[in-house]
Each structure stands twice: as C-alpha cells, then as structure tokens.
Amino acid sequence: MFEILNIKKTNKISPRDTGSMQGAGVELNGRRYITHTTLEPKNTAASTFILWQKLSITILILLICYGLISKPLWTLTIIAGFLSFVYFLDVLFNLFLIIRSLGSPPDIIFSEDELNSLDENKLPLYTILCPLYQEAKVVGRFIQSIEKLDWPIDKLDVILLLEEDDKETQRTVYEHYLPSYIRPVIVPHSLPKTKPKACNWGLSLAKGEFLVIYDAEDIPEPNQLKKAFLGFAKVPRNVICLQAKLNFYNPYQNILTRLFTAEYSLWFDIILPGLQSVQTCIPLGGTSNHFRIDDLLKLEGWDAFNVTEDADLGVRLFRAGYKTAIFDSTTLEEANSQLGNWVRQRSRWVKGYIQTYLVHTRNPVAFINQEGIHAIFFHILLGGRIAFMFINPILWIVTFSYFALNGLVGETIEAVYPGFVLYIAVTSFIVGNFMFIYYYMVGCAKRLQWSIIRYSIFVPFYWVLISCAACVAIYQLIFKPHYWEKTKHGLDVPDSKSILENYQEKDYSIGTAFTKEVVLWPAR
Amino acid sequence: MAGQIVSTEGSQMKLGDIDILGDMVLFFKKHELLSIGIVLSVISIITFAFFFINGLGLAYNDARSHLDISRRVVEGLRTGLAQLGSVWLPLPHFLTVFTVWNDFMWHSGLSGALVSMISYVGSGIYIYLSLKRLGVSYLARIAGVLAYATNANVLYLQSTAMTELLLILTITAAVYELIAWYKNDTIWSLIKASFWIMLSTLTRYEGWFLFIVAIFVITLHTFFTKGYRTAEGIFIFVASLAGFGIALWFLWNLLIFKDPLYFALGPYSAHVQQSQIYEAGDLATKWNFLFSAKVYLYGVLYNSGVYLGVLSVGGLLFLLVDKTLNKITKFSLLSILISPLLFNILALYLGFSTMSVVGLTGDRWFNIRYGIMMITPMAILSGYLLHKSSRLRYLLFVLLIVTTFYSYGQGIVTVEDAKKGASAKNVSLVGDWLAKNAKNNNDRVFVSVASHDAIIFSSGLRMSRFIHEGTGGYWESAGRNPEVWARYIVMRTYDLNDSSFSLLKDNPGLGKYDLVLRGEFADVYELREEYQGGLMRKTSKQYTSTDMSSADKNQLLLGSDEVDNKASSSSGLLIFLIFILSGMGLYFLNELGRNPIGAVKQQKITSDFGLSLFLARENIKRNI
C-alpha cells in the first residue's frame, strides 16, 4: 500500500530503427519495458497514479475520515447528496444517449447495391492483426472465419501474433494449413506481457493501407471489411476509426451469457451510437476497430501498459482531434460462460477503465479547457460508471437496511437524506434502477433478442458480479496494475463448422431494423 | 398598388406579385406541425381568457381541489411530495407544482389550466399526425383536428385545472405511436407508445384500462405476425415501461400510507364514495350494462355532438372494410381507440364511477365531462371518413363547421355541470366568510381537505393556515386539543364522513367553540375569545422546550432533527477503522501473497506463521 506513494522514475527507450517503433519502450525504476510504441510514458498507464493523484486521494480519504469522526451527520449527508446527484446525472445522461441513439440512429448503414458496386480490383491491402495467447483451442475456428471474409485474398494481410513462450498455440498454428495471406509472427518476449504490446509489434509489420484487430474467438461478419472500406469513404476525414458492433454467438448458453449478451447489445447497439450522435469520445471495443494504418501510426499505436488499450485509444484519438464512428456490421464473439472466467475478464476491463480514467485526468484543467462538455461526458461515462460499481453495493445495503432494520438504523438513515437529497436519492433508486434494467431490455429489443428480455429481471445480480469484479480490479490496480488477466476461450464451444454455416450474411441487419436475429448457438 | 388585391382569378389571391393563399398553403405544408401548434395555442389562450373573465375557470370544485393538492406540496404546515395524496393519480398535480407556488397562478387556476392547455395543443398535433400516418388527405387531417379543437367542451375543459385533457393527450400520443409501430415496426415507436401509456396510467384510471387493452392487442398482434417467442419478449418489453407507473403508484401507497391498495380501499377512495352513493340509491347504472352503455353514450353525444357521432360511426365502418390494413392491425387499432368507451361503461356498470345525465338519471348533470374522452377517436375516425368519401368530403367538412358553430349556441354541457350540476357544490358562503373574518389574523383553521378542499381554495387564505389530514402531527395534536391549535373549525356537523367531525365529535374542547356560520355543505366554528390567548401560534421549529412538551414537539417534527449523534459518530469511527484495517490487511496479504518466505526473512512475521500461510496459500491455489 505504501508503494503507491512512491514516484516512479521513467526513461524512454528509443526504437531499434528510425521510422519504426519496434524495440521502443520505457525504463521504470530500473526495469525495462519494451512496448514497441513511442508514446510518452506520461501519457500511458506505466504509472498508475501520478503524485498529485496520490496526494489527492489520500487527502480525500483523510478528510472523509476526519469528517466522519467530528461531524458524521454532515459528512454523510454531503457524501449521500453528492452520490445521489451523480447517480441521477448518470441516469439522465444514459437516457439522453438512448433517445439520441434510437431517435436518430447515427451508425453508418450500407445497402446491398453499395456493397455489390465495389470493384474488387481497386480494393486496398487490408491488414488483420490477431493476437493469440493460449488460444490453441480456437485457432482453427478463427482461421475458418477469416477464410469466410469477403475480401480478395491477394489484398489480405493477416498476421497471427504469437507469444514467444506460448508453444502450444504455436504448435497448433503451424500444424494448421495456412493460406498464403496468413502469416504467424512471434512477438519477442518482453514486459509488459499484454495484448497491446503484441498489437504494436504487429503494427510495425503491417503492410496494408487499413488495419483491423480481431480476437481469437471472433467471427466477423463476412462483408465487414467491405463495409469498413465503404464507411471510410462516407465519413469525414477526421473520423479515423470505425468500430463494428460486437455481440455473441452463444447468447443462450446459460444465464450469464444471456445477461452478458444483453449488456453487449445495450453497449454496442445503443450507447456507442448515442455517443457518436453527440460527437464525443467513444471507448473502443476490444476488437473490430478499423483504422487507416497511417492514422494509427500517427497515434503511436496502443498503450502497452493499459489492459483496456482499446478504451484508451478511443479517448486518445478523440483528444487528438479525431472521431470514431459506429458502422452497421457485427462481429460475434464468445460470451464468457463460466463465472470465475467472467470475473477475471471483467476485473481486467474495470482495471483498464480505471487506468484510462486516471491517465486522461492527469491534467484535468487542460482536459476541460480542451474538450469542454466532452470532458464532462468523459467523467460521467467512465468515472461515473467505475465509481458506481463500488458505490452501488453500499447504496443497496443502506436501502435494504432501512427497510429490514428500520428500528435500528431508520432514523439515522433518514437524517442523512434530508429533503431535497431524499427526493433525488429515491428517484435515482427507484426510477434509476428501473431505467437501467429497462435499458438492457432496449438493447435486446434492438437486436431482436426477444427471448433474453425475460432475464433482465436478474440484471441487479449481474451488477453484484460487476461490483465483485471491480473489487478484484482495484486490488490488482494497486498491486499488479499491468497484469493481464487472460480470458479462457473455447469453453463449451459447439462444432465450429455448424457455427460458420449458420452465419448467413443476408439474414443480417438491413439498415437499423434487424430483420432476423443471428443466433449460432442452438439451445434457447 | 401596394397593399391592394390585384386579382382574384381562379383560386389565387394576389397582393401585387404575391400569391397569399398559395404562400400560406406552402408555409403550412412545410411547417405543418408548427402551424397547427401556433393556431391551437392562440385558440387555447383566447379561450382560457374568455372563461377566466367569465368566472368559469374555477367553477368545478374538483379543479380547486387539484390546485390545492399541488399547492400543498410547496406551501403549508407540512410540505413535500407526500401531499400528492392517494386517491387521485399524481401526474396532473405533479406537473402543476412547478407553477402553483405563485399565488396568482394558484388562485387564478392558471397553474392547472396551463397543463390542460398544453395538453390541448399536443393532442391536436397528435390527431393530425395520426391521420397523416393513416395516409389521409390534408383536408381530412384538418377536419379531424377541427372536430377536436373547436369542440366547446374541449375548449372549456382545457381552460380549467381538470385532468381530462392531460389524459386525452397521453392516450392520443399513445395511439399515434402505436399506429407508427404498426406501420414501421421499430422499437423506438414501441418505446414511445409505452411511455405515453405509462403517463396515462399516472393521470387517470382510464389509463390503467388502456394499459390492459394495449398490452393485449400488441401481444396478440405480435403473436400472429411473428410468433410466440417475439410476442413474449414484446409483452415484457412493453408491459415493463407501460406498467411502471402502476407499480409506482402501488409502491407510493405502500410507502406513504402503509397500504398498497389505500387508493382503492382507503377511507377517501372512490370505492367508499361510490358505496355511499349506492346506499343512497343514486347509482342507477350499477349492475345494469345496457343502461350504463346508454348513459355513457348519451354523455359522449352531449359532449361531442350527434353529427360527429355519425361521422365517427361512418369512419369506423370504413376502417373495418379497409383492405390496406390487415385484420389484426384493424382490431388492435380499434380496440385502443375505443378503450375509453369500454372503460367508462364498465366503470359505470361495476359501480366504480357515477354519471348523471339530465333526463336519463335525474335532473342534474354529474360527471358528464367523462364523455369527452371519446373526442380523440371520434376526431380520427371522422377524418378517416372524410378521406374515404371522395365526392362528399367537402360537404361533410362544411357541415362539420356549421354544426360546430351551431353547438356553441346550445350551451356547453360541461359548463352547466360545473355551474349547476352536482360538481358545483356551492362553497362560496363558507369560503367568503373565512376570507372576510380570518384574513386579519394568522390563526389556524382545522378542516378536512377530503371534504372541504374547495372551501380552502375559496377562502383565499394561505395553505399554511390550515390544519388538515396531511399535516401529520398538527392534525393529531389538534384532534386532541383543538382549542390549543385552531381558532376556527370547518366541518359538516353530524356527518361522520367528515374527518374533522369524526375526530372532534366527542372532544370536550369543542365546547369552547361557537357556531358562527351554518352553511349548506359545512359549518364554521370559532374559538371563544376568552380561550384565544392559549392558542399555539408558532410553527414547529419556532417552539422551544418551554412552549410545549417534548412529546408534542416530537409529534410535529418530521424526524429530521431527532438523530442520535452518538450513533453517527460511532458509525463514522467504525467505518474509519474498517478502512484502515482493510488497507493494512490487503497490504499484508499482498506481501505474503508474493512471498511469505520473503516476509519471514524481512522479519515481518514469524517463521512458523509464515510457513503456515505459505502452505495455506498453496492449498487454496490448488483447490481453485
């Protein structure tokens, strides 16, 4: 715990060759980290907290403790009032995004004619990066789904990024028949051992004009590359990233995958387009982000220290004056179906979001001056979201205690919530919670996942899981901030051939009104 | 020459080189909703002014009660949202709260009328949009809007603080969004429809019936078009949002009145009132379906006119044979459109509601305004008929205008109900007495709002002068010692349904009052002069311990002052300790988790303990 007060000394390590970022890195307190990016350490999550953040948090904690001892009622009232207000703001902000997203859908859509009119001879070289670490089980399926992509094979440059110490995946890859456009590449071992570090290595080897990241378990829509190419032609030049929507091919496996699917549907089909509609920063999804390689190089790739490098990149490109747009194409992934695996994965995401938040609020005054209202959106979207993962359980306990133990704590709780604060708190609790549950239903409805809607009633339990994962995240953030909690894939995967055969692109979205839900998992 | 009409050839009216009529039509087509909104707003304001000047804006006692309920939220001995009460649904009062704090807005009725006026304009726009969605011509759309907007009863009700117009808006908007959903099948239209249905359930109980009907037809429609699985999902999706208002209302009653069915079965509920009316033999429609239907249909026709009724029936028939809409869509649309009709007939039949039509049930009007609920479906169906009757449409349109103007001279039935019907309990005698005799002092009046809200309004006194059921400790204290708390008592003597009488009837303190006014609906008692020196004249927070016992003071306080600070302090200390210990524990575990043997070497722990921890750690790892 006392290490967080230490100031880390950083030195940059130059790349091996000029014109490339290979070999670049940073030295932190005598330890070498080869990140393959020339990002300034102060703009990365190399250090979790900088000095003023550490001091601020410490002072805040001490102030709260002092207040709780000397003037407990006032302190609790202020805290309760502040939390209630922020929660209420979050409810309104999400409602605003949903109305924008549904009322005037901004995601880029494509007609069949547009897609058919593309001259394949004029299509550019497209690089696909696929970081693989302990993914022996799903490599075969990934290769099959890449083969299904509707893009001239002579214009494809697929790089499988293999870790030096991952012999099993290497063996599986080399045993597999690889088409000419797929090349495995070994990422030299270095710390931090993260996906963004591997992607940076891959970026330095990319040959294409465009680039996309796919995870090992991904099944992208076959015409996604064409849609992305058309999308780049449609958007203004300052839109340098196109994010496809993510969803799952096994939504009905169990209740966890159902709730996970509802969450993803809400996030990618409703919230992200809502953010796009207000032209604010969009935390990218982990995969299916499409870039022009030149733009990505200008941004110096990914932050190798951030375990949600995608979210960080989304914010970074926005702060550099660029934008992200959502386009109407979907990549299907595997929804985590095992609880422990899910908690680990979610803890990494929460940790990464906290890292992203801390990195981009290192100079809060400059942030607000530069971004204005978007800085507020950022704080609500990331900061608020993270904060309430921790605060929600406390508020639920307080509410439960008020009713169940009214004789003991009722009066005290009532004193903490005077008049106006009480109204906001009660509104946030009753109306806010209902609305958040309803938003999950909206996400499912948008995706035509009607049979998942009935499970929305279990969303509060899902939130409890998220809070548990957040506790793990905060622990890791303090004690092992760059540790990459690897998600296991291929859990209870059915026959891969049946998955791909079922994936009919014509049955997929037309405009923003889905005509048929794509479900590859047989059981409902 | 500028300013003169140059020619009127054909259908053009020119002013110089400007085609006035053509430009107007062009402007309208480009900004149709704005144009309708402006026109309806102007009509709304003029009409309000007309009825206000003629003293009719507050003719309904219910209107005064609605205003008082909103006022009590912001001003009174005990304020807060709990003053919204239970029997009447809260939305109209909640919307009025934003302006009722102003004395003029309160006493003029404008605060409540504003909600009705905005609803009036909104409903007109939605009728237009609904007809547009159904594909009818411009003329037919205008006819539909006119049928609604020029209706005298609509114009009167929109000038008052009554709740009918708000319900009409919510139902009309829901109908429009459902029509949109049937046409475009987007979830956004479905969400909006659900939202409006939810608002209707918070406005009047007709909304609850609309909720049931809407859920049924939407689910049925989906079942036949998309199968069971989608129907199930859509049912939950729509019912969640649309029914949220109902759930909130039950929760509200549970939290405030400790009984989720307080609104239905409590002492001030419609059920109790209807039971009293039934016992008095005045509920002629109960258990008589045909008579209930007859009474309600008469009510509809008295409100909307026979001509509009005929047009609506014609429109209904055309809709039934329309081949562009499938059967399920037609059934769904019509069910929702006529849901107010079904609700009101059922309510009359089951005795939940009462309505009196002159010549049918007696010689007085009562609740005749309920018939106005059908104005929206009738306007839409009439517009539809005009569209379908290609050759006769202009004739029908002209007849509509003529009959509308004719109806203005025949009397406005809702005004008659307000002025002379059973809705117009004349409380001005008592109200005026209070206004005259109580205005020069600040002494309190003990009165039941459930029975005499209109008197409170008519008196013109500030709400904080009144001790009523919603003032909590004041009401209870005054019920025990009225001579200490209230100089005046307003109650209907010997009527046990009046809460103030039933509370005070055996109280010896009542002997210290003189009857100073016997009114038709209530009596006024005033504390004799020799006892007035003992009156409590301060508010609860102004009292010191010498003024009253702590028991009485605690009765008045809302619970916010009496907090055990010691308990709070110890809670704070406990939280602090937990935090410190957790932090130390985490650090310790982290160190040991990394290297318990290292911790031993650094003499952080004993070797035995370190070894035990190491073994435990390995054990746990293996098990996970």
Side-chain angles (χ1 to χ4, degrees):
Chain A
M1 180 169 152
F2 300 100
E3 273 184 11
I4 65 170
L5 294 175
N6 290 347
I7 302 165
K8 293 195 175 173
K9 290 185 188 158
T10 56
N11 290 313
K12 280 182 80 169
I13 300 170
S14 302
R16 273 205 301 252
D17 309 308
T18 51
S20 165
M21 292 194 290
Q22 273 190 11
V26 65
E27 199 176 288
L28 285 173
N29 285 346
R31 226 170 175 181
R32 286 173 65 88
Y33 296 92
I34 305 300
T35 58
H36 306 299
T37 172
T38 48
L39 273 173
E40 287 290 331
K42 64 176 181 181
N43 295 330
T44 70
S47 300
T48 306
F49 300 94
I50 58 173
L51 181 61
W52 80 260
Q53 287 174 329
K54 293 173 194 171
L55 288 173
S56 303
I57 292 170
T58 310
I59 291 169
L60 184 65
I61 291 169
L62 289 173
L63 270 175
I64 290 173
C65 293
Y66 172 74
L68 286 172
I69 294 168
S70 61
K71 282 195 181 294
L73 186 60
W74 275 99
T75 307
L76 288 173
T77 303
I78 291 169
I79 293 172
F82 176 73
L83 292 180
S84 301
F85 176 71
V86 173
Y87 195 93
F88 188 64
L89 213 61
D90 192 36
V91 169
L92 291 180
F93 181 63
N94 277 278
L95 178 63
F96 170 68
L97 290 181
I98 284 172
I99 290 172
R100 294 281 304 210
S101 180
L102 292 175
S104 320
D107 25 348
I108 308 165
I109 57 173
F110 311 93
S111 64
E112 288 290 323
D113 290 338
E114 278 178 305
L115 290 168
N116 294 332
S117 67
L118 280 175
D119 182 357
E120 293 203 351
N121 295 323
K122 292 184 179 170
L123 294 176
L125 190 63
Y126 220 114
T127 296
I128 298 174
L129 296 184
C130 178
L132 297 170
Y133 184 56
Q134 296 174 354
E135 304 285 8
K137 225 172 160 183
V138 294
V139 163
R141 190 177 69 209
F142 176 76
I143 293 170
Q144 281 182 300
S145 60
I146 293 296
E147 284 172 343
K148 288 260 179 181
L149 284 174
D150 182 13
W151 192 265
I153 58 173
D154 58 330
K155 303 285 177 70
L156 272 179
D157 170 32
V158 181
I159 304 176
L160 305 180
L161 299 164
L162 307 170
E163 292 290 332
E164 199 178 312
D165 60 342
D166 184 12
K167 301 300 180 194
E168 191 189 353
T169 309
Q170 288 178 36
R171 198 166 39 244
T172 310
V173 165
Y174 290 126
E175 282 171 5
H176 208 281
Y177 167 73
L178 293 177
S180 56
Y181 54 86
I182 301 181
R183 50 183 170 125
V185 155
I186 305 291
V187 179
H189 173 74
S190 67
L191 292 177
K193 198 176 190 65
T194 59
K195 172 184 164 186
K197 192 271 306 279
C199 290
N200 284 335
W201 178 261
L203 178 61
S204 67
L205 301 173
K207 298 176 191 169
E209 184 181 333
F210 294 93
L211 179 144
V212 64
I213 311 280
Y214 289 130
D215 281 348
E217 78 279 18
D218 285 357
I219 302 179
E221 189 185 354
N223 59 12
Q224 186 171 115
L225 300 189
K226 283 189 174 175
K227 283 185 175 179
F229 176 72
L230 275 172
F232 276 116
K234 282 187 175 191
V235 296
R237 187 58 185 86
N238 69 335
V239 177
I240 65 166
C241 177
L242 292 182
Q243 169 75 60
K245 299 173 187 179
L246 305 183
N247 214 279
F248 299 118
Y249 52 71
N250 60 331
Y252 307 107
Q253 188 173 341
N254 56 32
I255 192 167
L256 183 61
T257 60
R258 283 178 168 90
L259 294 174
F260 203 178
T261 303
E263 186 187 20
Y264 251 41
S265 300
L266 173 60
W267 183 249
F268 285 98
D269 284 84
I270 307 285
I271 300 294
L272 291 193
L275 291 171
Q276 182 189 344
S277 74
V278 296
Q279 301 280 294
T280 193
C281 76
I282 294 177
L284 300 178
T287 89
S288 311
N289 334 120
H290 297 255
F291 292 91
R292 288 188 186 82
I293 286 183
D294 287 343
D295 293 331
L296 199 48
L297 288 169
K298 274 187 216 161
L299 291 171
E300 297 173 286
W302 293 271
D303 176 2
F305 293 100
N306 195 316
V307 296
T308 53
E309 76 293 346
D310 39 6
D312 170 75
L313 182 59
V315 180
R316 206 151 29 87
L317 72 86
F318 179 79
R319 294 189 71 182
Y322 300 113
K323 296 270 180 344
T324 302
I326 312 299
F327 70 108
D328 192 25
S329 177
T330 301
T331 297
L332 298 178
E333 302 190 301
E334 181 189 341
N336 227 315
S337 53
Q338 283 185 6
L339 189 57
N341 205 29
W342 183 94
V343 171
R344 282 191 290 277
Q345 181 187 53
R346 188 55 58 111
S347 69
R348 176 172 63 80
W349 292 358
V350 175
K351 184 171 72 176
Y353 263 52
I354 299 174
Q355 285 177 318
T356 305
Y357 185 77
L358 290 170
V359 165
H360 291 285
T361 51
R362 281 177 178 166
N363 196 340
V365 174
F367 190 25
I368 289 180
N369 284 339
Q370 189 187 351
E371 306 301 341
I373 186 82
H374 298 289
I376 312 287
F377 290 160
F378 173 82
H379 283 298
I380 296 173
L381 190 68
L382 253 71
R385 198 167 288 266
I386 295 162
F388 278 102
M389 291 176 193
F390 302 101
I391 294 161
N392 254 339
I394 300 170
L395 295 179
W396 278 84
I397 289 169
V398 166
T399 308
F400 176 76
S401 306
Y402 180 76
F403 290 105
L405 306 168
N406 191 269
L408 279 173
V409 298
E411 248 184 52
T412 309
I413 293 172
E414 280 172 15
V416 171
Y417 286 91
F420 185 65
V421 176
L422 177 68
Y423 287 144
I424 293 182
V426 169
T427 306
S428 299
F429 175 65
I430 296 174
V431 179
N433 276 285
F434 167 76
M435 284 167 76
F436 279 122
I437 295 173
Y438 187 71
Y439 295 160
Y440 281 77
M441 293 190 199
V442 172
C444 293
K446 185 85 195 287
R447 274 264 156 193
L448 306 181
Q449 291 159 337
W450 298 109
S451 53
I452 293 181
I453 284 183
R454 73 172 104 111
Y455 292 91
S456 302
I457 193 76
F458 298 110
V459 159
F461 298 102
Y462 191 69
W463 292 336
V464 172
L465 291 179
I466 293 175
S467 295
C468 294
C471 294
V472 175
I474 207 75
Y475 170 82
Q476 286 199 4
L477 184 75
I478 297 170
F479 298 112
K480 33 185 179 178
H482 310 130
Y483 174 70
W484 187 281
E485 195 75 74
K486 179 75 185 75
T487 309
K488 285 185 203 148
H489 294 122
L491 303 169
D492 298 335
V493 175
D495 169 45
S496 57
K497 191 175 173 191
S498 66
I499 286 181
L500 292 164
E501 278 176 358
N502 278 326
Y503 200 128
Q504 304 266 345
E505 68 179 78
K506 280 185 188 170
D507 289 337
Y508 222 73
S509 60
I510 293 177
T512 55
F514 288 96
T515 56
K516 183 178 171 182
E517 180 193 3
V518 177
V519 175
L520 308 180
W521 189 261
R524 287 194 186 211
Chain B
M1 194 184 296
Q4 287 189 338
I5 296 170
V6 176
S7 73
T8 54
E9 285 176 9
S11 61
Q12 286 186 316
M13 190 187 270
K14 288 193 176 220
L15 181 68
D17 290 327
I18 304 168
D19 178 4
I20 298 170
L21 199 61
D23 284 346
M24 279 173 64
V25 170
L26 209 64
F27 179 82
F28 172 77
K29 284 189 177 180
K30 210 175 162 187
H31 307 284
E32 46 191 14
L33 296 184
L34 180 66
S35 307
I36 291 170
I38 292 171
V39 169
L40 291 181
S41 299
V42 169
I43 295 174
S44 174
I45 293 167
I46 292 172
T47 314
F48 171 78
F50 171 77
F51 286 113
F52 176 70
I53 289 165
N54 284 281
L56 293 170
L58 296 165
Y60 274 109
N61 284 333
D62 279 0
R64 296 184 232 184
S65 293
H66 289 310
L67 289 159
D68 276 352
I69 289 171
S70 307
R71 180 72 182 199
R72 280 192 283 274
V73 173
V74 295
E75 192 247 315
L77 287 172
R78 193 170 172 175
T79 56
L81 284 177
Q83 297 296 331
L84 291 176
S86 81
V87 177
W88 273 326
L89 287 159
L91 186 63
H93 309 124
F94 180 75
L95 293 174
T96 309
V97 163
F98 295 103
T99 51
V100 81
W101 51 268
N102 178 278
D103 286 351
F104 171 75
M105 294 293 283
W106 174 31
H107 281 299
S108 65
L110 182 56
S111 184
L114 207 54
V115 175
S116 298
M117 290 159 76
I118 293 171
S119 303
Y120 167 79
V121 175
S123 301
I125 292 174
Y126 271 112
I127 289 172
Y128 182 88
L129 288 172
S130 300
L131 287 166
K132 189 177 179 184
R133 274 282 176 185
L134 288 171
V136 307
S137 61
Y138 272 112
L139 183 72
R141 291 180 222 164
I142 298 297
V145 175
L146 278 178
Y148 157 81
T150 55
N151 182 289
N153 293 286
V154 169
L155 289 170
Y156 172 61
L157 287 172
Q158 71 92 43
S159 310
T160 67
M162 300 296 278
T163 58
E164 279 76 12
L165 264 296
L166 183 60
L167 181 72
I168 287 173
L169 169 65
T170 55
I171 291 180
T172 311
V175 164
Y176 167 70
E177 296 299 345
L178 282 171
I179 294 173
W181 177 67
Y182 285 129
K183 293 269 179 184
N184 63 26
D185 199 23
T186 62
I187 63 161
W188 184 223
S189 296
L190 205 53
I191 291 171
K192 286 190 280 185
S194 306
F195 173 72
W196 285 111
I197 294 171
M198 181 192 71
L199 289 185
S200 77
T201 64
L202 290 170
T203 304
R204 289 174 65 98
Y205 291 102
E206 284 94 326
W208 293 33
F209 191 75
L210 172 69
F211 165 75
I212 294 168
V213 170
I215 296 296
F216 174 70
V217 299
I218 290 169
T219 309
L220 196 72
H221 180 270
T222 311
F223 179 75
F224 281 111
T225 53
K226 293 180 184 165
Y228 168 75
R229 214 177 293 284
T230 308
E232 179 204 87
I234 282 191
F235 169 79
I236 298 170
F237 185 59
V238 175
S240 300
L241 181 59
F244 183 57
I246 296 174
L248 272 182
W249 189 235
F250 280 110
L251 186 65
W252 171 267
N253 275 262
L254 176 64
L255 291 176
I256 305 294
F257 303 100
K258 314 299 177 206
D259 177 3
L261 292 175
Y262 188 82
F263 67 95
L265 303 172
Y268 310 114
S269 64
H271 168 75
V272 167
Q273 290 173 23
Q274 300 306 100
S275 302
Q276 291 162 7
I277 297 172
Y278 185 62
E279 279 159 22
D282 288 337
L283 214 56
T285 53
K286 192 169 180 178
W287 305 131
N288 189 334
F289 188 83
L290 282 176
F291 191 60
S292 300
K294 186 177 180 182
V295 165
Y296 188 69
L297 283 170
Y298 265 69
V300 169
L301 292 175
Y302 269 114
N303 275 276
S304 309
V306 174
Y307 181 65
L308 195 64
V310 169
L311 288 183
S312 314
V313 170
L316 179 69
L317 292 171
F318 266 103
L319 195 65
L320 285 171
V321 301
D322 189 341
K323 289 186 180 145
T324 60
L325 299 169
N326 67 44
K327 283 183 195 166
I328 295 293
T329 306
K330 268 189 263 189
F331 171 74
S332 309
L333 261 176
L334 288 171
S335 302
I336 292 166
L337 281 172
I338 64 168
S339 66
L341 180 81
L342 295 172
F343 171 81
N344 279 284
I345 294 174
L346 264 176
L348 289 171
Y349 170 69
L350 294 170
F352 294 154
S353 165
T354 180
M355 200 165 153
S356 181
V357 176
V358 168
L360 264 189
T361 56
D363 58 357
R364 296 178 97 177
W365 301 107
F366 186 50
N367 289 338
I368 193 67
R369 67 186 184 278
Y370 290 175
I372 205 66
M373 298 303 176
M374 287 301 293
I375 189 68
T376 299
M378 291 170 85
I380 292 174
L381 289 169
S382 302
Y384 189 76
L385 174 69
L386 249 77
H387 171 73
K388 287 293 184 183
S389 31
S390 49
R391 289 180 192 177
L392 293 175
R393 68 170 65 144
Y394 292 104
L395 175 64
L396 293 173
F397 183 76
V398 166
L399 279 175
L400 178 68
I401 295 174
V402 167
T403 51
T404 301
F405 277 107
Y406 175 74
S407 72
Y408 293 156
Q410 301 307 304
I412 306 173
V413 70
T414 45
V415 172
E416 287 177 34
D417 184 12
K419 281 171 59 181
K420 303 174 214 166
S423 306
K425 212 165 48 175
N426 189 352
V427 298
S428 53
L429 187 67
V430 174
D432 291 347
W433 188 96
L434 284 172
K436 188 179 162 194
N437 296 283
K439 73 171 180 189
N440 293 323
N441 59 65
N442 279 324
D443 296 330
R444 298 197 186 95
V445 183
F446 185 83
V447 62
S448 163
V449 294
S451 304
H452 307 298
D453 218 345
I455 290 176
I456 292 174
F457 188 93
S458 305
S459 69
L461 300 175
R462 291 187 65 76
M463 197 59 75
S464 52
R465 297 279 304 271
F466 295 94
I467 298 175
H468 55 80
E469 297 95 318
T471 52
Y474 288 99
W475 175 261
E476 285 157 21
S477 303
R480 287 194 300 270
N481 304 104
E483 71 279 9
V484 172
W485 295 96
R487 178 168 169 177
Y488 306 98
I489 297 173
V490 174
M491 62 183 180
R492 198 160 43 246
T493 321
Y494 305 119
D495 184 353
L496 288 172
N497 295 314
D498 184 326
S499 307
S500 28
F501 175 74
S502 68
L503 200 60
L504 294 178
K505 63 182 189 334
D506 298 321
N507 194 305
L510 202 53
K512 298 175 185 172
Y513 289 82
D514 289 327
L515 174 67
V516 292
L517 178 73
R518 191 176 285 283
E520 190 184 347
F521 297 100
D523 305 324
V524 183
Y525 294 81
E526 185 175 0
L527 188 68
R528 285 201 281 276
E529 211 171 318
E530 62 261 38
Y531 298 110
Q532 286 180 17
L535 279 171
M536 293 279 200
R537 290 189 159 106
K538 299 177 190 174
T539 62
S540 64
K541 290 191 172 108
Q542 292 167 340
Y543 283 107
T544 63
S545 55
T546 55
D547 293 326
M548 63 169 84
S549 68
S550 58
D552 271 337
K553 193 175 178 198
N554 283 342
Q555 283 265 336
L556 296 175
L557 294 170
L558 303 178
S560 58
D561 298 352
E562 298 292 318
V563 176
D564 183 358
N565 280 319
K566 284 186 189 169
S568 297
S569 294
S570 48
S571 303
L573 198 55
L574 189 61
I575 292 167
F576 176 68
L577 284 172
I578 289 172
F579 174 76
I580 294 296
L581 286 171
S582 306
M584 287 174 63
L586 275 173
Y587 171 69
F588 190 63
L589 281 171
N590 179 62
E591 289 296 319
L592 294 173
R594 276 212 292 254
N595 187 0
I597 306 304
V600 170
K601 285 182 181 170
Q602 288 166 39
Q603 295 177 340
K604 286 180 181 170
I605 50 167
T606 65
S607 54
D608 290 338
F609 187 45
L611 184 62
S612 310
L613 281 170
F614 177 75
L615 291 171
R617 187 189 74 168
E618 294 305 308
N619 216 2
I620 290 167
K621 266 190 186 171
R622 242 180 280 124
N623 282 326
I624 289 173

